[in-house]
Amino acid sequence: MLEEVQLSTFYTDNEKLLVAVDSVIFGYEDGQMKLLLFKRKIEPFKDKWSLIGRFVSPKEDIREAASSVLYDYTGLKNIFLEQLFTFGKVFRDPGSRVISIVYYSLTRINDFEKKVVEKYDSKWFSLNEIPELVLDHSEMVSKARMKLIEKTQQYPIGIDLLPEKFTMPQLFNLYQSLYDRKLDDRNFRKKIEGMNILKKLNEKDKRTSKKGAFLYKFDKKKYNQLLKKGYDFRI
Amino acid sequence: MLEEVQLSTFYTDNEKLLVAVDSVIFGYEDGQMKLLLFKRKIEPFKDKWSLIGRFVSPKEDIREAASSVLYDYTGLKNIFLEQLFTFGKVFRDPGSRVISIVYYSLTRINDFEKKVVEKYDSKWFSLNEIPELVLDHSEMVSKARMKLIEKTQQYPIGIDLLPEKFTMPQLFNLYQSLYDRKLDDRNFRKKIEGMNILKKLNEKDKRTSKKGAFLYKFDKKKYNQLLKKGYDFRI
DNA sequence: GCAAAAGTGTTTTCACTACACCCATGA
DNA sequence: TCATGGGTGTAGTGAAAACACTTTTGC
């Protein structure tokens, strides 16, 4: 109660606005980057494809709001989540004047998650098959895709997109799919090994070849050391 | 009136919040990057140093709000202005729950502008002499400074910070001051000339030496071509 | 034994670094 | 004539690019 009083003492002459958070959720599966979309549950544009989001209440931090949306619809906690951009045109939403603060996140698409996701009338789309979206959500997605590519230069995003144990060919395919061009596999290995942020395990993944590919793990300690020095993660 | 009706049809169950824009204004003068700060005019924290900003009205785009603040307090229009980040912790402002969308901008500090600025109880501070600021404004500034350095990698920010005609030593000093370290002047020239985005003029600036330094202009056409290809502007 | 994916080295090329001296001019 | 800032070239180093063959093994 005291808080309430404190918080309403000033600025009383100014008009308030609706504020929402929306999330662009990326995942990686079958050698492709994917995007999680939802059937919108409210008017206007009910049942059209949309990002997931909700209104921010006066009692929660905006990041908290984004992270709780994520948890509610995917069951995931503590995953990569970063603010992208705030959309604030007057008529961006015909339903009302709404400021939308957009976050993007990176997840591993796995079986558990799929079940939660199916419950909410949602679907993973490959990046080249994204349907028309409500409001300015397509613009949000395209900004997020650009940001994602930028992000690869400062951060080894494989950490969040691949399973804990992964093979070199998997990592290689991830980067090819992200950059949308062919890379040289030998140079790729050299570059990655030069970074020295992977631990090679004594196990092999034999699902995709007879020979089998060695499994690796990210070494988060070494990664954090590099990050402090401002390492350049470009491939 | 029709608009009003349209805009209030949906989402009526949700609580609204105060939304503000704040601007981090950078300038360059006397070989130093500077920051424009203002004495806060409202309670709480009246008369403390602060970024400039104001509340967003329901009838204006957020970018419009940021750009009009800038115009009101510096007299400048059409200058570099980009969204930085949105701050939205519940208690970031003890005056009330306020979402703050922060923009940053780059300007040329010139005599005209100075007069407008003096009128508003404001002052340019060198980056290493920034006083304590109200609320979370110091965090905003430090985020803006990091962004500024990032930005130099994708954009020749000299365009917005230097006068239209400038000398190589001026540009060189700007980058040294931005990166806060000594650079090699010969390598710097080579790099810049390699980019091929400057036009060398047939005039010299003799204010700082007897020999005089050639003046250059940015060639915006060539710059835009490079930008499309995703050129790397790192020094 | 062969198909299919995994894994490995060398040479070339190019960009970045380091480094020191001459030039033009006003006072 | 000299002090001051402006301007230039070259050799060395290291990272990135280009490029093709061998290994493993389930079928």
Side-chain angles (χ1 to χ4, degrees):
Chain A
M1 216 49 210
L2 184 60
E3 270 165 19
E4 291 277 332
V5 173
Q6 249 184 297
L7 280 183
S8 52
T9 310
F10 299 94
Y11 320 144
T12 45
D13 291 344
N14 297 284
E15 282 189 81
K16 297 181 175 185
L17 283 72
L18 285 169
V19 177
V21 288
D22 286 301
S23 281
V24 181
I25 305 171
F26 290 110
Y28 183 67
E29 191 183 42
D30 303 332
Q32 288 200 305
M33 285 300 299
K34 298 189 176 178
L35 181 64
L36 187 60
L37 296 174
F38 295 77
K39 286 255 174 83
R40 181 161 154 120
K41 279 175 277 313
I42 55 171
E43 292 291 354
F45 308 118
K46 191 159 183 284
D47 292 329
K48 302 285 174 203
W49 288 109
S50 158
L51 298 175
I52 191 68
R54 67 166 169 78
F55 291 100
V56 176
S57 110
K59 287 175 192 139
E60 64 184 347
D61 296 348
I62 53 175
R63 189 188 161 86
E64 239 174 56
S67 123
S68 90
V69 166
L70 209 57
Y71 180 68
D72 293 345
Y73 291 92
T74 68
L76 292 169
K77 261 184 183 170
N78 300 322
I79 65 172
F80 179 100
L81 176 70
E82 201 174 85
Q83 191 182 305
L84 176 67
F85 197 75
T86 296
F87 290 74
K89 290 236 166 94
V90 176
F91 295 111
R92 54 169 291 279
D93 185 337
S96 183
R97 172 70 198 275
V98 183
I99 304 286
S100 169
I101 305 164
V102 180
Y103 284 76
Y104 72 108
S105 69
L106 305 179
T107 78
R108 301 166 181 168
I109 305 180
N110 57 38
D111 293 340
F112 163 70
E113 193 188 332
K114 267 184 192 161
K115 281 169 205 150
V116 182
V117 156
E118 276 158 18
K119 203 171 78 185
Y120 289 103
D121 225 353
S122 63
K123 198 184 151 192
W124 286 99
F125 289 84
S126 291
L127 292 190
N128 48 19
E129 294 168 352
I130 298 172
E132 206 183 319
L133 302 178
V134 301
L135 313 183
D136 49 2
H137 287 199
S138 297
E139 196 188 338
M140 293 172 178
V141 169
S142 96
K143 238 188 166 92
R145 291 179 65 170
M146 289 193 306
K147 180 74 179 185
L148 187 59
I149 289 175
E150 252 179 58
K151 193 73 190 173
T152 57
Q153 302 186 2
Q154 312 147 7
Y155 179 79
I157 59 172
I159 286 185
D160 303 283
L161 292 168
L162 294 175
E164 204 191 351
K165 297 172 182 183
F166 55 91
T167 67
M168 251 329 151
Q170 274 181 298
L171 188 62
F172 178 69
N173 287 326
L174 169 59
Y175 274 87
Q176 281 202 147
S177 140
L178 271 170
Y179 289 144
D180 202 22
R181 65 185 168 92
K182 293 262 172 262
L183 300 172
D184 182 288
D185 60 337
R186 283 161 293 185
N187 293 334
F188 180 82
R189 271 171 199 268
K190 261 179 290 181
K191 184 88 204 250
I192 296 286
E193 276 157 10
M195 288 180 190
N196 209 28
I197 52 169
L198 298 188
K199 269 197 292 257
K200 189 174 185 169
L201 306 178
N202 268 330
E203 306 168 60
K204 282 191 164 188
D205 178 347
K206 293 210 166 193
R207 286 172 303 169
T208 56
S209 78
K210 292 152 187 170
K211 185 177 180 181
F214 277 104
L215 286 163
Y216 291 81
K217 267 185 168 181
F218 277 101
D219 184 334
K220 298 212 178 178
K221 275 184 203 163
K222 286 187 184 163
Y223 160 65
N224 283 323
Q225 286 165 11
L226 278 190
L227 204 60
K228 275 179 200 156
K229 292 188 221 152
Y231 191 79
D232 181 354
F233 285 96
R234 278 184 295 185
I235 299 296
Chain B
M1 218 47 210
L2 185 61
E3 270 164 18
E4 292 276 329
V5 173
Q6 248 186 297
L7 280 183
S8 50
T9 311
F10 300 95
Y11 319 144
T12 45
D13 291 344
N14 297 285
E15 282 189 81
K16 297 182 175 184
L17 283 74
L18 284 169
V19 177
V21 288
D22 286 300
S23 282
V24 182
I25 304 172
F26 290 109
Y28 183 67
E29 190 184 43
D30 303 332
Q32 287 200 306
M33 285 298 301
K34 299 190 175 178
L35 181 64
L36 187 60
L37 296 173
F38 296 77
K39 287 255 174 83
R40 182 163 153 118
K41 277 173 277 314
I42 55 171
E43 291 294 352
F45 308 119
K46 191 161 184 285
D47 293 328
K48 303 284 174 203
W49 288 108
S50 158
L51 297 176
I52 191 68
R54 67 165 167 79
F55 290 101
V56 176
S57 110
K59 288 177 191 134
E60 65 185 347
D61 296 348
I62 54 176
R63 189 187 160 88
E64 236 173 57
S67 124
S68 91
V69 166
L70 207 58
Y71 180 67
D72 292 346
Y73 290 92
T74 68
L76 291 170
K77 262 184 182 171
N78 301 320
I79 65 172
F80 179 100
L81 176 69
E82 201 175 83
Q83 190 182 304
L84 176 67
F85 196 73
T86 296
F87 289 74
K89 291 236 166 93
V90 176
F91 296 109
R92 53 170 292 278
D93 184 338
S96 184
R97 173 70 199 275
V98 182
I99 305 285
S100 169
I101 305 164
V102 180
Y103 284 77
Y104 73 107
S105 69
L106 305 178
T107 77
R108 300 165 182 170
I109 305 179
N110 57 38
D111 293 340
F112 163 70
E113 193 189 332
K114 268 184 190 160
K115 280 169 205 151
V116 181
V117 156
E118 277 159 17
K119 201 169 83 184
Y120 288 102
D121 225 351
S122 63
K123 197 183 153 194
W124 286 99
F125 288 84
S126 291
L127 292 189
N128 49 17
E129 294 168 353
I130 299 173
E132 207 184 319
L133 303 179
V134 300
L135 314 183
D136 49 3
H137 287 199
S138 297
E139 197 188 338
M140 293 172 179
V141 169
S142 98
K143 239 190 165 91
R145 290 179 66 171
M146 289 193 305
K147 179 73 180 186
L148 187 58
I149 288 174
E150 252 180 57
K151 194 73 190 172
T152 56
Q153 302 184 3
Q154 311 146 10
Y155 178 81
I157 59 172
I159 285 185
D160 303 283
L161 292 167
L162 294 175
E164 203 192 350
K165 298 173 183 184
F166 56 89
T167 67
M168 248 334 148
Q170 274 181 298
L171 188 63
F172 178 69
N173 286 327
L174 169 59
Y175 275 86
Q176 281 204 146
S177 142
L178 271 171
Y179 289 143
D180 203 20
R181 64 185 169 92
K182 292 262 174 262
L183 300 171
D184 182 289
D185 60 337
R186 282 161 295 184
N187 295 335
F188 179 82
R189 272 171 198 267
K190 260 180 288 182
K191 186 90 204 251
I192 295 285
E193 275 158 12
M195 289 180 191
N196 208 29
I197 52 168
L198 297 188
K199 269 197 292 258
K200 190 173 185 170
L201 306 177
N202 268 330
E203 307 168 58
K204 283 190 163 189
D205 177 347
K206 293 209 166 193
R207 286 173 303 169
T208 55
S209 79
K210 291 153 187 170
K211 184 178 179 180
F214 277 103
L215 286 163
Y216 291 79
K217 267 186 167 180
F218 277 100
D219 183 334
K220 299 212 177 179
K221 276 183 202 164
K222 285 185 185 166
Y223 160 66
N224 283 323
Q225 287 164 11
L226 279 189
L227 202 62
K228 277 180 200 156
K229 291 189 223 152
Y231 191 81
D232 181 353
F233 286 97
R234 279 184 294 187
I235 297 297

